[in-house]
Amino acid sequence: MSIFRSLRHYNYRLFFTGQAISLIGTWMQRVAISWLVYRLTGSAFLLGLITFLSLIPSLVLAPYAGSYVDRHNKYKVLVITQVILMLQAGALALMIWFKVYDMFWIAALSLVQGLVNAFDVTARQSLMVNLIDDKEDLPNAIALNSSMFNAARLIGPALAGVILSTLGEDICFIINFVSFIAVLGCMVMMKLKITAHQKSAENIWVDLKKGYDYLKSSPDLASMVLMMAASSLLVIPFTTLLPVFAKDIFNGNATTFGWFESAAGFGAFFGAIYMATLKGSQNLQKIVMMSGILLAISVVALAISPSLILALVCTSLAALGLMAQNSSINTYLQTHADDLMRGRTMSYYIMAYQGVLPIGSLLMGYLAHLFGTQVVVAFEGIAGLLIVAAFVYHEKHRNQLNTRAMSLN
């Protein structure tokens, strides 16, 4: 089938298989740690803080990581980061197994994960183009990668919900540790021929500034990155507050929280499948706008949902919009960025998404503590509509300038 055409490439097939298994474990751990923190503390603010610590390094390190990855072997960087993440997962699993419920160490290990992820995600995104022999299949590979991520988000939380309520949190952490064996095994089997770019003789910070200047001189790429940053700050943090909806607003338990995470994974999975069916000629800017509107309206609807079933449906629709928006921005950047600047361009995307998100999570967690979760989530949805309106205005203005410049020439 054409939707799976990227899987005919040997290296991508191995990458896809290993990541699919590992990500199920990752999502199980994410659900388990969110539930554990909220069960022990009952604090929406601490929920936001743990997310903040696991993602904030991307804000500081992502541009540096992009420059570093552009200078080094992306494959080797990815292997090293996966080994370190496996050790981090093992340390967390041991701690929970022996019931050492110390928020300081949970926070510290979350920070370590964030530091390593800044390099891991950048290397993984930049390596994608080397896994595909036919570059026409790159957009499909990116979309399939998103499908795999969200299929794991569908399966992982569902399994975690069952395991949390039957076997306990520690089993979720152990499964995540073991799942890294799959991704490392698949990476060892790859047969990659990576063309090494000549290393810049300049200071890495000068090299990093070139990436910023490149983005500044490409307004179409810059507008996508800014759209991502605004959504990460003001809209996407609604996902951090899902345990509050599960436990307090709808009086549920760990299984209920698993339903919310699985509903999000369900919607995001179909969003990714939709993106995988698109052809390269598709208007990605239009998809960014329409998916942003769906995300915003669904988040407002979630905030005012009177029943659990309606809340789950709204969560699913919001995740569908979020997936389509993120995937279309990712695809646009990867297919329009210069090869020598791709790593740095993607690092700014990661900074805008994973780097700004923890600030948003911390801010929305604090505001939810002050004003109530439903009020804050409704505000996030309204902010999403304003962000889309600003993006539409910017694109319209940019197109008018381009038309005027062409007519003068």
Side-chain angles (χ1 to χ4, degrees), residues 280-296:
S281 58
Q282 204 77 27
N283 188 334
L284 291 172
Q285 284 103 327
K286 187 176 180 181
I287 296 172
V288 170
M289 296 172 198
M290 298 307 295
S291 57
I293 292 170
L294 174 62
L295 168 62

Side-chain angles (χ1 to χ4, degrees), residues 38 42-50 241 361-362 365-366 369:
Y38 196 66
S43 171
F45 175 72
L46 277 177
L47 262 181
L49 179 63
I50 294 297
L241 298 170
S361 296
L362 194 62
Y366 179 68
H369 175 71

Side-chain angles (χ1 to χ4, degrees), residues 53-55 57-58 61 109-119:
L53 291 171
S54 67
L55 294 175
S58 293
L61 291 178
L109 286 169
S110 295
L111 181 61
V112 169
Q113 183 185 39
L115 290 168
V116 179
N117 270 339
F119 292 86

Side-chain angles (χ1 to χ4, degrees), residues 310-321:
L310 188 57
L312 291 173
V313 171
C314 292
T315 301
S316 188
L317 289 172
L320 193 157

Side-chain angles (χ1 to χ4, degrees), residues 8-74:
R8 62 191 173 91
H9 303 283
Y10 173 77
N11 291 318
Y12 181 77
R13 191 162 61 247
L14 283 172
F15 175 84
F16 185 92
T17 304
Q19 288 290 328
I21 296 169
S22 180
L23 281 168
I24 290 173
T26 299
W27 274 107
M28 290 181 72
Q29 177 173 294
R30 285 190 186 186
V31 170
I33 202 166
S34 291
W35 183 256
L36 177 69
V37 169
Y38 196 66
R39 179 177 68 80
L40 294 174
T41 67
S43 171
F45 175 72
L46 277 177
L47 262 181
L49 179 63
I50 294 297
T51 304
F52 175 84
L53 291 171
S54 67
L55 294 175
I56 190 59
S58 293
L59 178 63
V60 181
L61 291 178
Y64 174 83
S67 188
Y68 181 88
V69 167
D70 278 342
R71 288 167 171 245
H72 295 83
N73 187 306
K74 299 164 188 174

